[in-house]
PDB file of all heavy atoms in Angstrom:
ATOM      1  N   ILE A 224      27.167 -32.358  12.703  1.00 98.00           N
ATOM      2  CA  ILE A 224      27.382 -32.101  14.126  1.00 98.00           C
ATOM      3  C   ILE A 224      26.475 -33.000  14.973  1.00 98.00           C
ATOM      4  O   ILE A 224      26.844 -33.388  16.088  1.00 98.00           O
ATOM      5  CB  ILE A 224      27.195 -30.606  14.468  1.00 98.00           C
ATOM      6  CG1 ILE A 224      27.844 -30.284  15.813  1.00 98.00           C
ATOM      7  CG2 ILE A 224      25.731 -30.209  14.436  1.00 98.00           C
ATOM      8  CD1 ILE A 224      29.344 -30.524  15.878  1.00 98.00           C
ATOM      9  N   ASN A 225      25.326 -33.386  14.444  1.00 97.00           N
ATOM     10  CA  ASN A 225      24.480 -34.323  15.178  1.00 97.00           C
ATOM     11  C   ASN A 225      25.085 -35.728  15.192  1.00 97.00           C
ATOM     12  O   ASN A 225      24.918 -36.473  16.160  1.00 97.00           O
ATOM     13  CB  ASN A 225      23.068 -34.337  14.593  1.00 97.00           C
ATOM     14  CG  ASN A 225      22.229 -33.183  15.125  1.00 97.00           C
ATOM     15  OD1 ASN A 225      22.391 -32.778  16.269  1.00 97.00           O
ATOM     16  ND2 ASN A 225      21.345 -32.650  14.302  1.00 97.00           N
ATOM     17  N   ALA A 226      25.772 -36.092  14.115  1.00 97.00           N
ATOM     18  CA  ALA A 226      26.497 -37.365  14.109  1.00 97.00           C
ATOM     19  C   ALA A 226      27.621 -37.327  15.149  1.00 97.00           C
ATOM     20  O   ALA A 226      27.870 -38.313  15.859  1.00 97.00           O
ATOM     21  CB  ALA A 226      27.066 -37.651  12.722  1.00 97.00           C
ATOM     22  N   MET A 227      28.288 -36.166  15.260  1.00 97.00           N
ATOM     23  CA  MET A 227      29.329 -36.010  16.278  1.00 97.00           C
ATOM     24  C   MET A 227      28.727 -36.060  17.681  1.00 97.00           C
ATOM     25  O   MET A 227      29.370 -36.536  18.637  1.00 97.00           O
ATOM     26  CB  MET A 227      30.078 -34.692  16.079  1.00 97.00           C
ATOM     27  CG  MET A 227      30.877 -34.601  14.775  1.00 97.00           C
ATOM     28  SD  MET A 227      32.099 -35.930  14.581  1.00 97.00           S
ATOM     29  CE  MET A 227      31.198 -37.037  13.459  1.00 97.00           C
ATOM     30  N   ALA A 228      27.472 -35.604  17.817  1.00 96.00           N
ATOM     31  CA  ALA A 228      26.795 -35.681  19.117  1.00 96.00           C
ATOM     32  C   ALA A 228      26.578 -37.125  19.533  1.00 96.00           C
ATOM     33  O   ALA A 228      26.715 -37.481  20.717  1.00 96.00           O
ATOM     34  CB  ALA A 228      25.455 -34.938  19.049  1.00 96.00           C
ATOM     35  N   GLU A 229      26.265 -37.974  18.560  1.00 95.00           N
ATOM     36  CA  GLU A 229      26.051 -39.391  18.860  1.00 95.00           C
ATOM     37  C   GLU A 229      27.350 -40.037  19.361  1.00 95.00           C
ATOM     38  O   GLU A 229      27.328 -40.851  20.291  1.00 95.00           O
ATOM     39  CB  GLU A 229      25.524 -40.112  17.625  1.00 95.00           C
ATOM     40  CG  GLU A 229      24.123 -39.648  17.223  1.00 95.00           C
ATOM     41  CD  GLU A 229      23.616 -40.300  15.944  1.00 95.00           C
ATOM     42  OE1 GLU A 229      24.431 -40.924  15.227  1.00 95.00           O
ATOM     43  OE2 GLU A 229      22.416 -40.182  15.672  1.00 95.00           O
ATOM     44  N   ILE A 230      28.457 -39.658  18.738  1.00 97.00           N
ATOM     45  CA  ILE A 230      29.758 -40.177  19.184  1.00 97.00           C
ATOM     46  C   ILE A 230      30.120 -39.599  20.549  1.00 97.00           C
ATOM     47  O   ILE A 230      30.641 -40.303  21.429  1.00 97.00           O
ATOM     48  CB  ILE A 230      30.855 -39.849  18.154  1.00 97.00           C
ATOM     49  CG1 ILE A 230      30.514 -40.439  16.783  1.00 97.00           C
ATOM     50  CG2 ILE A 230      32.218 -40.348  18.644  1.00 97.00           C
ATOM     51  CD1 ILE A 230      30.382 -41.945  16.772  1.00 97.00           C
ATOM     52  N   SER A 231      29.811 -38.311  20.728  1.00 97.00           N
ATOM     53  CA  SER A 231      30.128 -37.653  21.999  1.00 97.00           C
ATOM     54  C   SER A 231      29.386 -38.296  23.155  1.00 97.00           C
ATOM     55  O   SER A 231      29.930 -38.438  24.263  1.00 97.00           O
ATOM     56  CB  SER A 231      29.776 -36.159  21.921  1.00 97.00           C
ATOM     57  OG  SER A 231      30.570 -35.500  20.959  1.00 97.00           O
ATOM     58  N   GLU A 232      28.149 -38.712  22.927  1.00 94.00           N
ATOM     59  CA  GLU A 232      27.341 -39.306  23.993  1.00 94.00           C
ATOM     60  C   GLU A 232      27.966 -40.589  24.555  1.00 94.00           C
ATOM     61  O   GLU A 232      27.857 -40.868  25.748  1.00 94.00           O
ATOM     62  CB  GLU A 232      25.929 -39.609  23.476  1.00 94.00           C
ATOM     63  CG  GLU A 232      25.050 -38.376  23.342  1.00 94.00           C
ATOM     64  CD  GLU A 232      23.653 -38.721  22.854  1.00 94.00           C
ATOM     65  OE1 GLU A 232      23.374 -39.922  22.615  1.00 94.00           O
ATOM     66  OE2 GLU A 232      22.834 -37.795  22.700  1.00 94.00           O
ATOM     67  N   VAL A 233      28.590 -41.358  23.684  1.00 95.00           N
ATOM     68  CA  VAL A 233      29.135 -42.641  24.140  1.00 95.00           C
ATOM     69  C   VAL A 233      30.598 -42.543  24.574  1.00 95.00           C
ATOM     70  O   VAL A 233      31.160 -43.506  25.112  1.00 95.00           O
ATOM     71  CB  VAL A 233      28.998 -43.735  23.048  1.00 95.00           C
ATOM     72  CG1 VAL A 233      27.534 -43.966  22.740  1.00 95.00           C
ATOM     73  CG2 VAL A 233      29.781 -43.371  21.797  1.00 95.00           C
ATOM     74  N   THR A 234      31.207 -41.356  24.357  1.00 98.00           N
ATOM     75  CA  THR A 234      32.615 -41.202  24.729  1.00 98.00           C
ATOM     76  C   THR A 234      32.821 -40.224  25.874  1.00 98.00           C
ATOM     77  O   THR A 234      33.929 -40.104  26.401  1.00 98.00           O
ATOM     78  CB  THR A 234      33.445 -40.714  23.530  1.00 98.00           C
ATOM     79  OG1 THR A 234      32.931 -39.444  23.079  1.00 98.00           O
ATOM     80  CG2 THR A 234      33.410 -41.714  22.387  1.00 98.00           C
ATOM     81  N   GLY A 235      31.751 -39.498  26.238  1.00 97.00           N
ATOM     82  CA  GLY A 235      31.879 -38.511  27.306  1.00 97.00           C
ATOM     83  C   GLY A 235      32.349 -37.154  26.827  1.00 97.00           C
ATOM     84  O   GLY A 235      32.630 -36.252  27.633  1.00 97.00           O
ATOM     85  N   ALA A 236      32.438 -36.940  25.531  1.00 98.00           N
ATOM     86  CA  ALA A 236      32.827 -35.637  24.991  1.00 98.00           C
ATOM     87  C   ALA A 236      31.655 -34.667  25.064  1.00 98.00           C
ATOM     88  O   ALA A 236      30.490 -35.065  25.143  1.00 98.00           O
ATOM     89  CB  ALA A 236      33.299 -35.794  23.546  1.00 98.00           C
ATOM     90  N   ASP A 237      31.971 -33.374  25.037  1.00 98.00           N
ATOM     91  CA  ASP A 237      30.956 -32.313  25.063  1.00 98.00           C
ATOM     92  C   ASP A 237      30.818 -31.770  23.639  1.00 98.00           C
ATOM     93  O   ASP A 237      31.719 -31.108  23.126  1.00 98.00           O
ATOM     94  CB  ASP A 237      31.392 -31.197  26.012  1.00 98.00           C
ATOM     95  CG  ASP A 237      30.334 -30.113  26.176  1.00 98.00           C
ATOM     96  OD1 ASP A 237      29.688 -29.753  25.163  1.00 98.00           O
ATOM     97  OD2 ASP A 237      30.170 -29.614  27.305  1.00 98.00           O
ATOM     98  N   VAL A 238      29.685 -32.055  22.998  1.00 97.00           N
ATOM     99  CA  VAL A 238      29.531 -31.703  21.588  1.00 97.00           C
ATOM    100  C   VAL A 238      29.478 -30.196  21.368  1.00 97.00           C
ATOM    101  O   VAL A 238      29.894 -29.701  20.315  1.00 97.00           O
ATOM    102  CB  VAL A 238      28.292 -32.394  20.974  1.00 97.00           C
ATOM    103  CG1 VAL A 238      27.002 -31.759  21.497  1.00 97.00           C
ATOM    104  CG2 VAL A 238      28.342 -32.333  19.451  1.00 97.00           C
ATOM    105  N   THR A 239      29.005 -29.440  22.359  1.00 98.00           N
ATOM    106  CA  THR A 239      28.963 -27.984  22.206  1.00 98.00           C
ATOM    107  C   THR A 239      30.371 -27.407  22.185  1.00 98.00           C
ATOM    108  O   THR A 239      30.699 -26.545  21.371  1.00 98.00           O
ATOM    109  CB  THR A 239      28.142 -27.340  23.337  1.00 98.00           C
ATOM    110  OG1 THR A 239      26.813 -27.867  23.310  1.00 98.00           O
ATOM    111  CG2 THR A 239      28.074 -25.826  23.162  1.00 98.00           C
ATOM    112  N   GLN A 240      31.215 -27.907  23.106  1.00 98.00           N
ATOM    113  CA  GLN A 240      32.608 -27.456  23.099  1.00 98.00           C
ATOM    114  C   GLN A 240      33.328 -27.926  21.837  1.00 98.00           C
ATOM    115  O   GLN A 240      34.188 -27.218  21.302  1.00 98.00           O
ATOM    116  CB  GLN A 240      33.328 -27.966  24.348  1.00 98.00           C
ATOM    117  CG  GLN A 240      32.840 -27.318  25.641  1.00 98.00           C
ATOM    118  CD  GLN A 240      33.583 -27.829  26.859  1.00 98.00           C
ATOM    119  OE1 GLN A 240      34.089 -28.956  26.860  1.00 98.00           O
ATOM    120  NE2 GLN A 240      33.648 -27.010  27.900  1.00 98.00           N
ATOM    121  N   LEU A 241      32.978 -29.124  21.393  1.00 98.00           N
ATOM    122  CA  LEU A 241      33.548 -29.627  20.141  1.00 98.00           C
ATOM    123  C   LEU A 241      33.203 -28.696  18.984  1.00 98.00           C
ATOM    124  O   LEU A 241      34.073 -28.345  18.171  1.00 98.00           O
ATOM    125  CB  LEU A 241      33.010 -31.033  19.871  1.00 98.00           C
ATOM    126  CG  LEU A 241      33.413 -31.679  18.533  1.00 98.00           C
ATOM    127  CD1 LEU A 241      34.922 -31.907  18.484  1.00 98.00           C
ATOM    128  CD2 LEU A 241      32.668 -32.987  18.329  1.00 98.00           C
ATOM    129  N   ALA A 242      31.938 -28.275  18.897  1.00 98.00           N
ATOM    130  CA  ALA A 242      31.504 -27.366  17.833  1.00 98.00           C
ATOM    131  C   ALA A 242      32.219 -26.023  17.940  1.00 98.00           C
ATOM    132  O   ALA A 242      32.615 -25.435  16.927  1.00 98.00           O
ATOM    133  CB  ALA A 242      29.990 -27.177  17.895  1.00 98.00           C
ATOM    134  N   ASP A 243      32.375 -25.543  19.189  1.00 98.00           N
ATOM    135  CA  ASP A 243      33.100 -24.280  19.376  1.00 98.00           C
ATOM    136  C   ASP A 243      34.530 -24.396  18.856  1.00 98.00           C
ATOM    137  O   ASP A 243      35.051 -23.492  18.193  1.00 98.00           O
ATOM    138  CB  ASP A 243      33.132 -23.899  20.862  1.00 98.00           C
ATOM    139  CG  ASP A 243      31.777 -23.457  21.393  1.00 98.00           C
ATOM    140  OD1 ASP A 243      30.910 -23.074  20.571  1.00 98.00           O
ATOM    141  OD2 ASP A 243      31.593 -23.480  22.626  1.00 98.00           O
ATOM    142  N   ALA A 244      35.160 -25.510  19.167  1.00 98.00           N
ATOM    143  CA  ALA A 244      36.567 -25.690  18.803  1.00 98.00           C
ATOM    144  C   ALA A 244      36.755 -25.774  17.293  1.00 98.00           C
ATOM    145  O   ALA A 244      37.620 -25.092  16.719  1.00 98.00           O
ATOM    146  CB  ALA A 244      37.120 -26.942  19.484  1.00 98.00           C
TER     147      ALA A 244
END
Side-chain angles (χ1 to χ4, degrees):
I224 198 61
N225 278 326
M227 295 303 100
E229 294 177 347
I230 302 299
S231 296
E232 284 181 0
V233 298
T234 60
D237 185 320
V238 72
T239 301
Q240 291 181 333
L241 175 64
D243 289 340

